[in-house]
Amino acid sequence: MTGRVEGAALLEVRGLTKSFGAITAVRDVDLVVGPGERVGLVGPNGAGKTTLFNCICGQTQADAGTVVFRGIDLGSKPTFERARLGIGRTFQRVEVFPELTVAEHLMVAERARRGDGRLWKDLLGRSALSAQESARVEAMLVLVGLDGLANVPVAALGLGTCRLVELARALIGEPVLLLADEPSSGLDAHETAELASVLRRVSGEHEMAVLLVEHDLGLVARVAERTVVMDVGGVIANGTFDAVMADQRVRHAYLGKSA
């Protein structure tokens, strides 16, 4: 195994299992992510990647196994408590509020992070940004390349740009672990390259770990220091991107054959 997981783990998943009726979506999965480490999680459709994400974030309760984050057993902790511990997330299906502007999305996320009492006013459109909040929002918009769209309603944006809004909203919460679920979906080649640059830069500057689920293997190769491959609910390979892509089990999972 490569990567920075020799010391204390940031995230440690052990024996995680989740079934839906007769279908076992995740089967006895072990996964470790070190502080500041960038890990790609790949596999064919139906491999169990998003279900694993949901169990880590708390949207889905596992049937068996443990999820330990920053030394804390997450057990049955709800999603919002996991977020406050430092887990950020983007979704395979974009989750945005069409009527809000790009900047307003980040403002609400920033005040939710701080537990600011004015959050209820944000939802009623009665709260103005402070100078400090404006500076943080502007810096984040610049970071993801959305600074020219601050006052544009999200309803007017394309899918690719909405994904960048969602990423910025997750990053402004200053997570120590970002779970990114198919963040390049809907992005063109230029936007995907910019996304890879943002993830590497933020991870390096803030020692933010990234667990990246992606079908775009080129993006995984550019971002991840280590790659984990799942198939039919279990982990079948773990190592450098080149090593796992050369693994016969991985080739069989993707191609249905060993060569």
Side-chain angles (χ1 to χ4, degrees), residues 143 199-208:
L143 179 64
L199 291 175
R200 289 195 306 266
R201 183 165 66 252
V202 175
S203 175
E205 291 177 357
H206 300 279
E207 200 174 357
M208 179 189 74

Side-chain angles (χ1 to χ4, degrees):
M1 182 187 299
T2 62
R4 294 172 288 180
V5 298
E6 293 81 3
L10 176 67
L11 173 71
E12 188 171 5
V13 176
R14 295 297 182 195
L16 199 75
T17 297
K18 178 61 185 179
S19 296
F20 299 96
I23 299 174
T24 301
V26 175
R27 186 189 309 273
D28 196 27
V29 166
D30 293 343
L31 176 69
V32 177
V33 179
E37 187 182 25
R38 300 189 303 272
V39 178
L41 183 61
V42 304
N45 289 331
K49 306 181 297 294
T50 295
T51 298
L52 177 60
F53 260 31
N54 289 340
C55 290
I56 293 171
C57 290
Q59 281 97 352
T60 298
Q61 187 67 39
D63 299 326
T66 59
V67 178
V68 177
F69 180 66
R70 304 179 87 171
I72 300 171
D73 188 339
L74 298 183
S76 58
K77 288 186 182 295
T79 300
F80 75 89
E81 288 190 16
R82 300 179 192 217
R84 287 176 179 173
L85 286 171
I87 298 177
R89 169 139 192 213
T90 66
F91 291 84
Q92 189 174 31
R93 179 178 178 180
V94 174
E95 302 283 349
V96 292
F97 301 100
E99 68 278 7
L100 297 184
T101 67
V102 173
E104 286 170 342
H105 271 81
L106 272 61
M107 175 191 70
V108 172
E110 165 65 3
R111 290 182 177 169
R113 177 187 72 86
R114 292 165 46 197
D116 195 299
R118 291 177 293 171
L119 183 57
W120 68 271
K121 291 184 179 180
D122 300 336
L123 302 178
L124 296 175
R126 298 178 181 175
S127 183
L129 286 170
S130 69
Q132 181 181 10
E133 288 168 338
S134 294
R136 274 188 54 79
V137 168
E138 183 178 355
M140 187 56 61
L141 292 173
V142 170
L143 179 64
V144 300
L146 295 175
D147 46 307
L149 299 173
N151 297 316
V152 176
V154 169
L157 303 177
L159 174 61
T161 307
C162 285
R163 288 203 173 276
L164 295 178
V165 173
E166 189 180 45
L167 175 62
R169 185 177 61 190
L171 292 177
I172 205 168
E174 298 182 347
V176 294
L177 172 64
L178 175 67
L179 277 66
D181 195 354
E182 300 285 355
S184 76
S185 180
L187 303 186
D188 61 27
H190 174 73
E191 290 169 330
T192 299
E194 287 297 313
L195 172 65
S197 178
V198 168
L199 291 175
R200 289 195 306 266
R201 183 165 66 252
V202 175
S203 175
E205 291 177 357
H206 300 279
E207 200 174 357
M208 179 189 74
V210 178
L211 185 56
L212 171 68
V213 163
E214 257 299 333
H215 281 101
D216 186 336
L217 296 180
L219 176 61
V220 176
R222 289 193 292 270
V223 172
E225 301 167 293
R226 181 165 56 92
T227 302
V228 176
V229 185
M230 291 183 67
D231 188 32
V232 287
V235 173
I236 61 171
N238 183 358
T240 65
F241 180 83
D242 289 341
V244 299
M245 287 299 112
D247 190 300
Q248 294 298 325
R249 294 168 298 176
V250 175
R251 293 189 178 194
H252 186 272
Y254 274 101
L255 304 175
K257 55 185 178 180
S258 298

